Amino acid sequence: MGKHAAHIVWDWNGTLFHDNDAVIGATNAAFAEIGLEPITLEQYRELYCVPIPRFYERLMGRLPTEAEWEVMDEAFHRHYTEWRAACRLADGAEVLLADWQSAGHSQSILSMYGHDDLLPLVRGFGIEPHFIRIDGRTGPSGGSKAEHMVRHVAALAGVEPARTVVIGDAADDATAALRVGARAVLYTGGSHSRGSLEAVGVPVVDSLAEAVAEAERLAAGGSPAA
């Protein structure tokens, strides 16, 4: 990898890892723990935001108490672990990762999924060699990705923020990219509706292939595609 190669920071959940069914299943299981009604994927995409307690506030009409948050957070992660076994990589992800690496570019993963759970999951799909760094969340769940992005990018030797593009499925991915001086492309296949993503003001795409093409254009100093 040359010093001036383009770099992609990939989000994991809802981007490379197509886990919508697991997220909705675990979310509804967490809601059931405190007597909330289940929601659909469409409702989830319209209302989802971080920090996660604000997402719950949109659904409950108030912030959850600390006790409620602890119950829901534990329940979500417990049920997600069960549901994720049936989930797979997003369509075409393996080929896109291999082609980006073959083109002389670099890539990494930054996820808000717990680091100790993320690593074996990535390895299980056989794609770990495509990445120069893989970071999952350390510390409490439910917060923003921005501070994690600062540490992640600082640890990427030879990677320039100006030639780095974050690809993710949430508005928070764009916020995190902005924090480090990188660009962002948002993908509609995960946690947000197209409308909520378009409101962020960065390129929005419907496939990972489009996301990679847009990332290459942005990293080369181009303007977002019309």
Side-chain angles (χ1 to χ4, degrees), residues 98-157:
D99 287 351
W100 183 260
Q101 183 180 29
S102 296
H105 303 309
S106 61
Q107 54 201 332
S108 58
I109 292 175
L110 175 62
S111 173
M112 294 300 283
Y113 194 41
H115 186 74
D116 292 340
D117 293 312
L118 175 67
L119 281 180
L121 190 54
V122 174
R123 288 170 179 161
F125 285 111
I127 58 174
E128 184 183 15
H130 295 310
F131 305 104
I132 62 172
R133 188 175 182 89
I134 300 171
D135 284 329
R137 173 185 48 79
T138 56
S141 63
S144 174
K145 183 178 275 189
E147 292 303 324
H148 296 270
M149 185 68 74
V150 170
R151 293 191 292 272
H152 181 77
V153 171
L156 298 174

Side-chain angles (χ1 to χ4, degrees), residues 63-121:
L63 279 170
T65 66
E66 185 173 342
E68 287 171 333
W69 163 249
E70 290 177 357
V71 167
M72 289 191 291
D73 190 47
E74 186 280 330
F76 175 87
H77 289 289
R78 172 163 41 87
H79 288 284
Y80 178 84
T81 299
E82 298 172 1
W83 280 76
R84 78 177 189 195
C87 299
R88 297 291 179 261
L89 295 178
D91 289 344
E94 298 100 321
V95 173
L96 290 168
L97 295 172
D99 287 351
W100 183 260
Q101 183 180 29
S102 296
H105 303 309
S106 61
Q107 54 201 332
S108 58
I109 292 175
L110 175 62
S111 173
M112 294 300 283
Y113 194 41
H115 186 74
D116 292 340
D117 293 312
L118 175 67
L119 281 180
L121 190 54

Side-chain angles (χ1 to χ4, degrees), residues 135-201:
D135 284 329
R137 173 185 48 79
T138 56
S141 63
S144 174
K145 183 178 275 189
E147 292 303 324
H148 296 270
M149 185 68 74
V150 170
R151 293 191 292 272
H152 181 77
V153 171
L156 298 174
V159 171
E160 299 178 32
R163 298 213 61 203
T164 296
V165 179
V166 176
I167 297 179
D169 68 317
D172 192 46
D173 291 299
T175 300
L178 181 64
R179 178 70 67 88
V180 297
R183 311 289 286 275
V185 178
L186 298 180
Y187 163 60
T188 62
S191 62
H192 279 39
S193 67
R194 171 173 272 278
S196 61
L197 293 179
E198 288 177 338
V200 177

Side-chain angles (χ1 to χ4, degrees), residues 8-11 15 164-175 177-178 182-188 197 200-219 224-225:
I8 291 174
V9 178
W10 290 96
D11 173 57
T15 304
T164 296
V165 179
V166 176
I167 297 179
D169 68 317
D172 192 46
D173 291 299
T175 300
L178 181 64
R183 311 289 286 275
V185 178
L186 298 180
Y187 163 60
T188 62
L197 293 179
V200 177
V202 302
V204 175
V205 298
D206 296 317
S207 71
L208 293 188
E210 292 175 274
V212 170
E214 186 67 12
E216 187 167 22
R217 180 166 35 249
L218 293 175

